[in-house]
Amino acid sequence: MKTALGIFKRDVKRLKTNIIAVIVLLGICILPSLYAWFNIAAVWDPYGNTGGIPVAVVNEDKGSSLEGINVNAGEKIVTNLKGNHQMGWKFVDKDKAMDGIKEGDYYAVVYIPKDFSEDMISVATGTITRPEITYYVNEKKNGIAPKITDKGVEAIQTQVNSSFIGTVTGYMTDILKVGEEKASVTKDDIVAGINKTLDNASADLSALSSGISSYQSTIDSAVSLIDANITLAGSVDDSLSGAENRIEGDLSKLKEQHAAIDADKFPDIDKLLTKVENGFDKCLDDLKQAGSMSSDAQDVLTSLKSSLNSVSDSLTSTKSAVDGSIERIDTFRNNEDSLNISDGFVDIINKIISNPKSVSEFMASPVKISTEKVYPVADYGSAMAPFYTTLAIWVGGIIMVAIMKTRVREDDQLRNITPRAAYIGRSLIFIITGLVQALIIGLGNIFFLGMQCKNPLLFMVTCLITSFVFTLIIYTLTVSFGSIGKALCVIWLVLQVAGSGGTYPIEVLPQSFQYMSHFMPFTFACDAMRETVAGVYTPDYITDMLKLLCFVPLSLLLGLVLRNPLRRLNEFFEDRLEDTKFMG
């Protein structure tokens, strides 16, 4: 131990007498902090500065109208975006937008087509077409920007959906109002409205039933006429001509009455009347054929009579169905218990009518998310500070072994230096330099950058312990394996940056990286620093620090025991590298 301390004292004495060495050592102490500070400052609030990301917006929406109300959803989107600073929205025409995204002027393009508003209100027309906004994104320009612009477009979609639902709900609440002069409705108002609808339906069905009776009378007359004409084969042409004219007139009347029927309201009756018309058409075709085939007139007339009888039967079935519907409506109306409307239902209707704006706002966004942050972090820079601080401390260790010598040489004062004494003696200057590096990095994070830190004292202690562990690992690998050890330190750095969970959650990394993270000091140093930054959960902090300190005995085992068998091989490699005059 005395020899080890002697090595350390000699190193300090040499520093005092060499101003250049002092300047270099100061640079070694400061350089890692610059690495950490620049990286942390660069990512301090990236998601708060997305207003500088240019995104083109093309609005070609021509608008539409519904019940006399003009609707232009595209224009409303543009108006809202002009007050939105989440992105750098640029309102241009389509040609400029498409050229711009190819040239890299825009990260993305939002295109609103001509029929956007028309598709928005198609739900009220019966022919529903989903409105569509086309989103073009240039993923080549930057790896992160597309993820940010994706969120901006999702916000537009949410805004449009909420606006649409709110508008439709407001329109429905207006429909529920009985009149401008009435502030609320009663159970009698609702019953009266239902009864009025039923009265209208009953009147329409009664008119249809009367029309069917008239059609049957016409068909009966036509059948009688055909019976008379069957026995008059010699004068069939004249008789058929008269029947044809009569049926054409009746058919014209039937089509006029059929056109007055609401097919949507009475679909079954519409189908039956269509069948009746088809029957009349067949009768006319048969009459015309009979006029040109006098020799077969009797057979044709018999077939015609059969067709008319079939039509008559269809009309009878139709009339029976219509009369049955009228009877059921009358029965329903006469039964007061059929309209058993609860007071609660009436109360809900009145609440909707009394405050339609609140109802439409509720329907547009029925669920409110209340966010309660556990261990809140003020900004992205503070959230990333543990990772970049850990990274800077490791980089500081690599800088030390790249510039400072790990091999201890003998002189007149120190002779017969054992490998263990050399290892311990030279490690002291490395460890102290590493602690100074960590001290500068940690204090700069807190006081220079203004990083959030719930427990500054514990954060500084964590930085110092991390530096001690990292420096010992890097120093030991370099002492044990020389230049190969330095390369191992760089390789390990690369693996830890990718697989320690410092940037992305460890759970989203490939399975191999998740496994390796358990053997990486970065993992435990980052997690321990996060505890001090956002709020300490003592069991986790202690666990992380104990896992980090496990690398100390492993390093000492390699540096003090296992290094000896490798010493000659290491010296051989070092000598061969020095022989090149440009390596080693």
Short mmCIF file of all heavy atoms in Angstrom, two decimals, residues 302-363:
data_model
loop_
_atom_site.label_atom_id
_atom_site.label_comp_id
_atom_site.label_asym_id
_atom_site.label_seq_id
_atom_site.Cartn_x
_atom_site.Cartn_y
_atom_site.Cartn_z
N THR A 302 -109.88 -15.28 -72.68
CA THR A 302 -109.96 -16.13 -71.49
C THR A 302 -108.73 -15.93 -70.61
O THR A 302 -108.82 -15.84 -69.39
CB THR A 302 -110.09 -17.61 -71.91
OG1 THR A 302 -111.26 -17.78 -72.70
CG2 THR A 302 -110.17 -18.51 -70.68
N SER A 303 -107.54 -15.87 -71.28
CA SER A 303 -106.29 -15.63 -70.53
C SER A 303 -106.31 -14.26 -69.89
O SER A 303 -105.84 -14.08 -68.75
CB SER A 303 -105.11 -15.76 -71.48
OG SER A 303 -103.91 -15.44 -70.82
N LEU A 304 -106.86 -13.29 -70.62
CA LEU A 304 -106.94 -11.93 -70.08
C LEU A 304 -107.83 -11.88 -68.86
O LEU A 304 -107.51 -11.22 -67.86
CB LEU A 304 -107.47 -10.99 -71.17
CG LEU A 304 -107.69 -9.53 -70.77
CD1 LEU A 304 -106.39 -8.90 -70.27
CD2 LEU A 304 -108.25 -8.75 -71.95
N LYS A 305 -108.93 -12.62 -68.93
CA LYS A 305 -109.85 -12.64 -67.78
C LYS A 305 -109.16 -13.23 -66.56
O LYS A 305 -109.32 -12.74 -65.43
CB LYS A 305 -111.09 -13.46 -68.15
CG LYS A 305 -112.09 -13.60 -67.01
CD LYS A 305 -113.27 -14.46 -67.44
CE LYS A 305 -114.24 -14.66 -66.26
NZ LYS A 305 -115.40 -15.51 -66.64
N SER A 306 -108.35 -14.29 -66.81
CA SER A 306 -107.64 -14.92 -65.71
C SER A 306 -106.64 -13.93 -65.08
O SER A 306 -106.51 -13.87 -63.86
CB SER A 306 -106.89 -16.15 -66.22
OG SER A 306 -106.13 -16.74 -65.20
N SER A 307 -105.96 -13.16 -65.93
CA SER A 307 -105.00 -12.17 -65.41
C SER A 307 -105.69 -11.13 -64.56
O SER A 307 -105.21 -10.74 -63.49
CB SER A 307 -104.26 -11.50 -66.57
OG SER A 307 -103.50 -12.44 -67.29
N LEU A 308 -106.84 -10.63 -65.04
CA LEU A 308 -107.57 -9.62 -64.28
C LEU A 308 -108.09 -10.18 -62.96
O LEU A 308 -108.09 -9.49 -61.93
CB LEU A 308 -108.74 -9.09 -65.12
CG LEU A 308 -108.35 -8.19 -66.30
CD1 LEU A 308 -109.60 -7.83 -67.11
CD2 LEU A 308 -107.66 -6.94 -65.82
N ASN A 309 -108.52 -11.42 -62.97
CA ASN A 309 -108.97 -12.03 -61.71
C ASN A 309 -107.81 -12.15 -60.71
O ASN A 309 -107.99 -11.97 -59.51
CB ASN A 309 -109.56 -13.42 -61.99
CG ASN A 309 -110.93 -13.33 -62.63
OD1 ASN A 309 -111.66 -12.35 -62.42
ND2 ASN A 309 -111.31 -14.35 -63.41
N SER A 310 -106.60 -12.45 -61.23
CA SER A 310 -105.42 -12.53 -60.37
C SER A 310 -105.10 -11.17 -59.76
O SER A 310 -104.78 -11.06 -58.57
CB SER A 310 -104.23 -13.05 -61.17
OG SER A 310 -103.06 -13.06 -60.37
N VAL A 311 -105.22 -10.11 -60.62
CA VAL A 311 -105.00 -8.76 -60.12
C VAL A 311 -106.02 -8.41 -59.05
O VAL A 311 -105.71 -7.80 -58.02
CB VAL A 311 -105.05 -7.75 -61.28
CG1 VAL A 311 -105.03 -6.31 -60.73
CG2 VAL A 311 -103.87 -7.96 -62.21
N SER A 312 -107.26 -8.81 -59.29
CA SER A 312 -108.32 -8.53 -58.32
C SER A 312 -108.03 -9.20 -56.99
O SER A 312 -108.24 -8.62 -55.92
CB SER A 312 -109.67 -9.00 -58.88
OG SER A 312 -110.71 -8.75 -57.96
N ASP A 313 -107.52 -10.44 -57.05
CA ASP A 313 -107.19 -11.13 -55.81
C ASP A 313 -106.07 -10.42 -55.06
O ASP A 313 -106.09 -10.31 -53.82
CB ASP A 313 -106.76 -12.57 -56.13
CG ASP A 313 -107.93 -13.44 -56.65
OD1 ASP A 313 -109.08 -13.04 -56.41
OD2 ASP A 313 -107.64 -14.47 -57.29
N SER A 314 -105.08 -9.92 -55.81
CA SER A 314 -103.98 -9.19 -55.18
C SER A 314 -104.47 -7.93 -54.50
O SER A 314 -104.06 -7.58 -53.38
CB SER A 314 -102.91 -8.84 -56.22
OG SER A 314 -102.34 -10.00 -56.77
N LEU A 315 -105.38 -7.21 -55.18
CA LEU A 315 -105.94 -6.00 -54.58
C LEU A 315 -106.74 -6.32 -53.33
O LEU A 315 -106.73 -5.57 -52.35
CB LEU A 315 -106.82 -5.29 -55.60
CG LEU A 315 -106.07 -4.56 -56.74
CD1 LEU A 315 -107.08 -4.01 -57.75
CD2 LEU A 315 -105.22 -3.44 -56.19
N THR A 316 -107.43 -7.45 -53.36
CA THR A 316 -108.20 -7.84 -52.17
C THR A 316 -107.26 -8.07 -50.98
O THR A 316 -107.54 -7.65 -49.85
CB THR A 316 -109.00 -9.12 -52.46
OG1 THR A 316 -109.90 -8.87 -53.55
CG2 THR A 316 -109.78 -9.57 -51.24
N SER A 317 -106.12 -8.75 -51.24
CA SER A 317 -105.14 -9.00 -50.17
C SER A 317 -104.55 -7.68 -49.66
O SER A 317 -104.38 -7.48 -48.45
CB SER A 317 -104.01 -9.90 -50.69
OG SER A 317 -104.52 -11.15 -51.08
N THR A 318 -104.27 -6.78 -50.61
CA THR A 318 -103.71 -5.47 -50.22
C THR A 318 -104.68 -4.70 -49.35
O THR A 318 -104.32 -4.13 -48.32
CB THR A 318 -103.37 -4.66 -51.48
OG1 THR A 318 -102.43 -5.38 -52.26
CG2 THR A 318 -102.79 -3.32 -51.10
N LYS A 319 -105.95 -4.68 -49.78
CA LYS A 319 -106.97 -3.94 -49.02
C LYS A 319 -107.13 -4.52 -47.63
O LYS A 319 -107.29 -3.80 -46.64
CB LYS A 319 -108.31 -3.96 -49.76
CG LYS A 319 -109.40 -3.05 -49.15
CD LYS A 319 -110.63 -3.04 -50.01
CE LYS A 319 -111.65 -2.03 -49.46
NZ LYS A 319 -112.02 -2.28 -48.07
N SER A 320 -107.05 -5.85 -47.55
CA SER A 320 -107.18 -6.50 -46.24
C SER A 320 -106.04 -6.08 -45.33
O SER A 320 -106.25 -5.80 -44.14
CB SER A 320 -107.18 -8.02 -46.43
OG SER A 320 -107.22 -8.67 -45.18
N ALA A 321 -104.80 -6.01 -45.89
CA ALA A 321 -103.64 -5.60 -45.07
C ALA A 321 -103.76 -4.15 -44.63
O ALA A 321 -103.47 -3.80 -43.48
CB ALA A 321 -102.35 -5.80 -45.87
N VAL A 322 -104.21 -3.29 -45.56
CA VAL A 322 -104.37 -1.87 -45.23
C VAL A 322 -105.43 -1.69 -44.16
O VAL A 322 -105.25 -0.94 -43.17
CB VAL A 322 -104.70 -1.06 -46.49
CG1 VAL A 322 -105.09 0.38 -46.12
CG2 VAL A 322 -103.53 -1.05 -47.46
N ASP A 323 -106.58 -2.34 -44.31
CA ASP A 323 -107.64 -2.22 -43.31
C ASP A 323 -107.19 -2.74 -41.95
O ASP A 323 -107.54 -2.19 -40.90
CB ASP A 323 -108.88 -2.99 -43.79
CG ASP A 323 -109.53 -2.33 -45.00
OD1 ASP A 323 -109.27 -1.13 -45.22
OD2 ASP A 323 -110.29 -3.01 -45.72
N GLY A 324 -106.37 -3.81 -41.97
CA GLY A 324 -105.84 -4.34 -40.71
C GLY A 324 -104.93 -3.33 -40.02
O GLY A 324 -104.97 -3.18 -38.80
N SER A 325 -104.11 -2.63 -40.81
CA SER A 325 -103.23 -1.61 -40.23
C SER A 325 -104.04 -0.48 -39.62
O SER A 325 -103.72 0.02 -38.53
CB SER A 325 -102.29 -1.06 -41.30
OG SER A 325 -101.45 -2.07 -41.80
N ILE A 326 -105.11 -0.06 -40.33
CA ILE A 326 -105.96 1.01 -39.80
C ILE A 326 -106.60 0.57 -38.49
O ILE A 326 -106.67 1.34 -37.52
CB ILE A 326 -107.05 1.37 -40.84
CG1 ILE A 326 -106.39 1.98 -42.09
CG2 ILE A 326 -108.07 2.35 -40.26
CD1 ILE A 326 -107.36 2.19 -43.23
N GLU A 327 -107.02 -0.67 -38.45
CA GLU A 327 -107.68 -1.18 -37.24
C GLU A 327 -106.69 -1.22 -36.06
O GLU A 327 -107.04 -0.85 -34.93
CB GLU A 327 -108.22 -2.58 -37.52
CG GLU A 327 -108.99 -3.18 -36.34
CD GLU A 327 -109.57 -4.54 -36.67
OE1 GLU A 327 -109.54 -4.96 -37.84
OE2 GLU A 327 -110.07 -5.19 -35.73
N ARG A 328 -105.44 -1.63 -36.33
CA ARG A 328 -104.45 -1.70 -35.25
C ARG A 328 -104.09 -0.30 -34.74
O ARG A 328 -103.89 -0.11 -33.54
CB ARG A 328 -103.20 -2.43 -35.74
CG ARG A 328 -103.37 -3.94 -35.85
CD ARG A 328 -102.04 -4.64 -36.08
NE ARG A 328 -101.52 -4.37 -37.41
CZ ARG A 328 -101.84 -5.07 -38.48
NH1 ARG A 328 -102.69 -6.08 -38.39
NH2 ARG A 328 -101.31 -4.78 -39.67
N ILE A 329 -104.01 0.66 -35.66
CA ILE A 329 -103.73 2.03 -35.23
C ILE A 329 -104.85 2.55 -34.34
O ILE A 329 -104.60 3.17 -33.29
CB ILE A 329 -103.53 2.94 -36.46
CG1 ILE A 329 -102.20 2.61 -37.16
CG2 ILE A 329 -103.53 4.42 -36.05
CD1 ILE A 329 -102.00 3.36 -38.46
N ASP A 330 -106.10 2.31 -34.76
CA ASP A 330 -107.25 2.77 -33.96
C ASP A 330 -107.25 2.10 -32.59
O ASP A 330 -107.53 2.73 -31.56
CB ASP A 330 -108.55 2.47 -34.71
CG ASP A 330 -108.71 3.33 -35.95
OD1 ASP A 330 -108.04 4.38 -36.01
OD2 ASP A 330 -109.48 2.96 -36.86
N THR A 331 -106.92 0.80 -32.56
CA THR A 331 -106.88 0.09 -31.27
C THR A 331 -105.80 0.65 -30.36
O THR A 331 -106.01 0.85 -29.16
CB THR A 331 -106.62 -1.42 -31.51
OG1 THR A 331 -107.64 -1.94 -32.34
CG2 THR A 331 -106.58 -2.18 -30.20
N PHE A 332 -104.64 0.93 -30.95
CA PHE A 332 -103.54 1.50 -30.17
C PHE A 332 -103.91 2.86 -29.60
O PHE A 332 -103.63 3.17 -28.45
CB PHE A 332 -102.29 1.61 -31.07
CG PHE A 332 -101.09 2.15 -30.35
CD1 PHE A 332 -100.32 1.34 -29.55
CD2 PHE A 332 -100.74 3.50 -30.48
CE1 PHE A 332 -99.19 1.85 -28.90
CE2 PHE A 332 -99.63 4.00 -29.82
CZ PHE A 332 -98.85 3.17 -29.03
N ARG A 333 -104.55 3.67 -30.41
CA ARG A 333 -104.93 5.01 -29.95
C ARG A 333 -105.99 4.96 -28.87
O ARG A 333 -105.97 5.77 -27.93
CB ARG A 333 -105.46 5.83 -31.13
CG ARG A 333 -104.35 6.29 -32.07
CD ARG A 333 -104.76 7.56 -32.79
NE ARG A 333 -105.14 8.59 -31.86
CZ ARG A 333 -105.95 9.62 -32.13
NH1 ARG A 333 -106.49 9.73 -33.32
NH2 ARG A 333 -106.21 10.52 -31.23
N ASN A 334 -106.90 4.03 -28.98
CA ASN A 334 -107.98 3.95 -28.00
C ASN A 334 -107.53 3.36 -26.67
O ASN A 334 -108.23 3.48 -25.67
CB ASN A 334 -109.13 3.10 -28.57
CG ASN A 334 -109.79 3.79 -29.76
OD1 ASN A 334 -109.81 5.02 -29.84
ND2 ASN A 334 -110.33 3.00 -30.69
N ASN A 335 -106.37 2.72 -26.68
CA ASN A 335 -105.85 2.13 -25.45
C ASN A 335 -104.90 3.12 -24.79
O ASN A 335 -103.76 3.30 -25.21
CB ASN A 335 -105.13 0.81 -25.76
CG ASN A 335 -104.69 0.10 -24.48
OD1 ASN A 335 -104.90 0.58 -23.38
ND2 ASN A 335 -104.08 -1.07 -24.66
N GLU A 336 -105.27 3.80 -23.73
CA GLU A 336 -104.46 4.84 -23.10
C GLU A 336 -103.18 4.27 -22.48
O GLU A 336 -102.17 4.96 -22.38
CB GLU A 336 -105.28 5.55 -22.01
CG GLU A 336 -106.47 6.33 -22.56
CD GLU A 336 -107.22 7.05 -21.45
OE1 GLU A 336 -106.81 6.88 -20.29
OE2 GLU A 336 -108.19 7.77 -21.76
N ASP A 337 -103.24 2.99 -22.07
CA ASP A 337 -102.04 2.41 -21.45
C ASP A 337 -100.91 2.17 -22.45
O ASP A 337 -99.78 1.92 -22.06
CB ASP A 337 -102.41 1.08 -20.77
CG ASP A 337 -103.36 1.28 -19.60
OD1 ASP A 337 -103.35 2.40 -19.04
OD2 ASP A 337 -104.10 0.34 -19.27
N SER A 338 -101.22 2.21 -23.75
CA SER A 338 -100.20 1.96 -24.76
C SER A 338 -99.13 3.04 -24.75
O SER A 338 -97.97 2.79 -25.08
CB SER A 338 -100.84 1.88 -26.15
OG SER A 338 -101.75 0.80 -26.21
N LEU A 339 -99.52 4.25 -24.40
CA LEU A 339 -98.58 5.37 -24.35
C LEU A 339 -98.20 5.65 -22.90
O LEU A 339 -98.51 6.69 -22.34
CB LEU A 339 -99.19 6.62 -25.00
CG LEU A 339 -99.48 6.50 -26.49
CD1 LEU A 339 -100.17 7.74 -27.00
CD2 LEU A 339 -98.20 6.25 -27.26
N ASN A 340 -97.52 4.70 -22.29
CA ASN A 340 -97.13 4.84 -20.89
C ASN A 340 -95.75 5.51 -20.82
O ASN A 340 -94.72 4.85 -20.72
CB ASN A 340 -97.10 3.46 -20.24
CG ASN A 340 -96.82 3.55 -18.74
OD1 ASN A 340 -96.99 4.62 -18.14
ND2 ASN A 340 -96.40 2.45 -18.15
N ILE A 341 -95.73 6.83 -20.89
CA ILE A 341 -94.49 7.59 -20.88
C ILE A 341 -94.16 7.99 -19.45
O ILE A 341 -94.98 8.60 -18.76
CB ILE A 341 -94.62 8.85 -21.76
CG1 ILE A 341 -94.91 8.42 -23.21
CG2 ILE A 341 -93.36 9.69 -21.70
CD1 ILE A 341 -95.22 9.57 -24.12
N SER A 342 -92.99 7.62 -19.01
CA SER A 342 -92.61 7.86 -17.62
C SER A 342 -92.25 9.34 -17.40
O SER A 342 -91.85 10.04 -18.33
CB SER A 342 -91.42 6.98 -17.22
OG SER A 342 -90.27 7.38 -17.93
N ASP A 343 -92.41 9.77 -16.14
CA ASP A 343 -92.03 11.13 -15.79
C ASP A 343 -90.53 11.35 -15.96
O ASP A 343 -90.07 12.45 -16.30
CB ASP A 343 -92.43 11.42 -14.34
CG ASP A 343 -93.94 11.43 -14.16
OD1 ASP A 343 -94.65 11.73 -15.15
OD2 ASP A 343 -94.41 11.13 -13.05
N GLY A 344 -89.73 10.29 -15.71
CA GLY A 344 -88.29 10.41 -15.87
C GLY A 344 -87.89 10.70 -17.30
O GLY A 344 -86.99 11.51 -17.56
N PHE A 345 -88.60 10.05 -18.26
CA PHE A 345 -88.30 10.30 -19.67
C PHE A 345 -88.61 11.75 -20.04
O PHE A 345 -87.84 12.41 -20.74
CB PHE A 345 -89.12 9.34 -20.54
CG PHE A 345 -88.94 9.55 -22.01
CD1 PHE A 345 -87.80 9.11 -22.66
CD2 PHE A 345 -89.91 10.20 -22.76
CE1 PHE A 345 -87.63 9.31 -24.02
CE2 PHE A 345 -89.75 10.41 -24.12
CZ PHE A 345 -88.61 9.96 -24.74
N VAL A 346 -89.74 12.25 -19.56
CA VAL A 346 -90.12 13.64 -19.83
C VAL A 346 -89.10 14.59 -19.22
O VAL A 346 -88.72 15.61 -19.82
CB VAL A 346 -91.53 13.93 -19.28
CG1 VAL A 346 -91.90 15.40 -19.48
CG2 VAL A 346 -92.56 13.05 -19.96
N ASP A 347 -88.61 14.24 -18.03
CA ASP A 347 -87.63 15.09 -17.36
C ASP A 347 -86.33 15.16 -18.16
O ASP A 347 -85.72 16.23 -18.30
CB ASP A 347 -87.36 14.53 -15.96
CG ASP A 347 -86.43 15.44 -15.15
OD1 ASP A 347 -86.71 16.65 -15.09
OD2 ASP A 347 -85.44 14.93 -14.61
N ILE A 348 -85.90 14.02 -18.72
CA ILE A 348 -84.68 14.00 -19.54
C ILE A 348 -84.85 14.87 -20.78
O ILE A 348 -83.95 15.65 -21.14
CB ILE A 348 -84.34 12.54 -19.94
CG1 ILE A 348 -83.91 11.75 -18.71
CG2 ILE A 348 -83.25 12.51 -20.99
CD1 ILE A 348 -83.72 10.28 -18.96
N ILE A 349 -86.01 14.76 -21.44
CA ILE A 349 -86.27 15.57 -22.64
C ILE A 349 -86.20 17.06 -22.30
O ILE A 349 -85.60 17.86 -23.03
CB ILE A 349 -87.65 15.23 -23.24
CG1 ILE A 349 -87.65 13.79 -23.76
CG2 ILE A 349 -88.00 16.19 -24.37
CD1 ILE A 349 -86.71 13.56 -24.92
N ASN A 350 -86.77 17.45 -21.19
CA ASN A 350 -86.77 18.86 -20.80
C ASN A 350 -85.36 19.36 -20.46
O ASN A 350 -85.02 20.51 -20.75
CB ASN A 350 -87.71 19.07 -19.60
CG ASN A 350 -89.17 19.06 -20.01
OD1 ASN A 350 -89.51 19.58 -21.07
ND2 ASN A 350 -90.02 18.47 -19.19
N LYS A 351 -84.57 18.51 -19.85
CA LYS A 351 -83.20 18.91 -19.54
C LYS A 351 -82.40 19.13 -20.82
O LYS A 351 -81.59 20.05 -20.93
CB LYS A 351 -82.53 17.86 -18.66
CG LYS A 351 -83.03 17.86 -17.22
CD LYS A 351 -82.34 16.79 -16.40
CE LYS A 351 -82.84 16.82 -14.95
NZ LYS A 351 -82.22 15.76 -14.13
N ILE A 352 -82.63 18.28 -21.80
CA ILE A 352 -81.94 18.43 -23.09
C ILE A 352 -82.36 19.73 -23.76
O ILE A 352 -81.54 20.48 -24.30
CB ILE A 352 -82.23 17.21 -24.00
CG1 ILE A 352 -81.59 15.96 -23.40
CG2 ILE A 352 -81.71 17.46 -25.41
CD1 ILE A 352 -81.92 14.70 -24.16
N ILE A 353 -83.67 20.00 -23.73
CA ILE A 353 -84.19 21.20 -24.39
C ILE A 353 -83.72 22.47 -23.69
O ILE A 353 -83.40 23.47 -24.34
CB ILE A 353 -85.75 21.15 -24.41
CG1 ILE A 353 -86.21 20.03 -25.35
CG2 ILE A 353 -86.33 22.48 -24.86
CD1 ILE A 353 -87.69 19.80 -25.30
N SER A 354 -83.65 22.41 -22.36
CA SER A 354 -83.31 23.62 -21.60
C SER A 354 -81.85 24.03 -21.77
O SER A 354 -81.52 25.20 -21.60
CB SER A 354 -83.62 23.41 -20.11
OG SER A 354 -82.79 22.38 -19.59
N ASN A 355 -80.98 23.10 -22.10
CA ASN A 355 -79.55 23.43 -22.21
C ASN A 355 -78.92 22.67 -23.38
O ASN A 355 -78.06 21.79 -23.19
CB ASN A 355 -78.84 23.09 -20.90
CG ASN A 355 -77.49 23.78 -20.78
OD1 ASN A 355 -77.05 24.47 -21.70
ND2 ASN A 355 -76.83 23.59 -19.66
N PRO A 356 -79.34 22.98 -24.60
CA PRO A 356 -78.83 22.23 -25.76
C PRO A 356 -77.32 22.37 -25.96
O PRO A 356 -76.67 21.46 -26.43
CB PRO A 356 -79.61 22.81 -26.93
CG PRO A 356 -80.03 24.17 -26.47
CD PRO A 356 -80.26 24.04 -24.99
N LYS A 357 -76.76 23.55 -25.61
CA LYS A 357 -75.32 23.75 -25.82
C LYS A 357 -74.50 22.80 -24.96
O LYS A 357 -73.54 22.18 -25.42
CB LYS A 357 -74.95 25.20 -25.50
CG LYS A 357 -73.48 25.51 -25.76
CD LYS A 357 -73.16 26.96 -25.49
CE LYS A 357 -71.67 27.25 -25.75
NZ LYS A 357 -71.34 28.66 -25.46
N SER A 358 -74.90 22.66 -23.69
CA SER A 358 -74.16 21.76 -22.80
C SER A 358 -74.28 20.32 -23.26
O SER A 358 -73.32 19.55 -23.18
CB SER A 358 -74.70 21.89 -21.36
OG SER A 358 -74.47 23.19 -20.87
N VAL A 359 -75.48 19.97 -23.76
CA VAL A 359 -75.69 18.60 -24.23
C VAL A 359 -74.80 18.32 -25.44
O VAL A 359 -74.16 17.27 -25.54
CB VAL A 359 -77.17 18.36 -24.58
CG1 VAL A 359 -77.35 16.98 -25.22
CG2 VAL A 359 -78.02 18.47 -23.33
N SER A 360 -74.74 19.28 -26.38
CA SER A 360 -73.92 19.07 -27.58
C SER A 360 -72.43 18.99 -27.22
O SER A 360 -71.69 18.19 -27.78
CB SER A 360 -74.16 20.19 -28.59
OG SER A 360 -73.76 21.44 -28.07
N GLU A 361 -72.00 19.81 -26.25
CA GLU A 361 -70.62 19.75 -25.81
C GLU A 361 -70.31 18.42 -25.14
O GLU A 361 -69.24 17.84 -25.31
CB GLU A 361 -70.31 20.90 -24.85
CG GLU A 361 -70.29 22.28 -25.53
CD GLU A 361 -70.11 23.40 -24.54
OE1 GLU A 361 -70.13 23.11 -23.31
OE2 GLU A 361 -69.95 24.56 -24.96
N PHE A 362 -71.27 17.93 -24.36
CA PHE A 362 -71.08 16.63 -23.70
C PHE A 362 -70.97 15.50 -24.71
O PHE A 362 -70.10 14.63 -24.62
CB PHE A 362 -72.25 16.36 -22.75
CG PHE A 362 -72.23 14.97 -22.17
CD1 PHE A 362 -71.42 14.69 -21.09
CD2 PHE A 362 -73.01 13.96 -22.70
CE1 PHE A 362 -71.38 13.40 -20.55
CE2 PHE A 362 -72.98 12.68 -22.17
CZ PHE A 362 -72.17 12.41 -21.09
N MET A 363 -71.86 15.52 -25.73
CA MET A 363 -71.83 14.46 -26.74
C MET A 363 -70.56 14.53 -27.57
O MET A 363 -70.04 13.51 -28.02
CB MET A 363 -73.06 14.57 -27.65
CG MET A 363 -74.37 14.28 -26.94
SD MET A 363 -74.42 12.64 -26.21
CE MET A 363 -74.38 11.62 -27.68
#
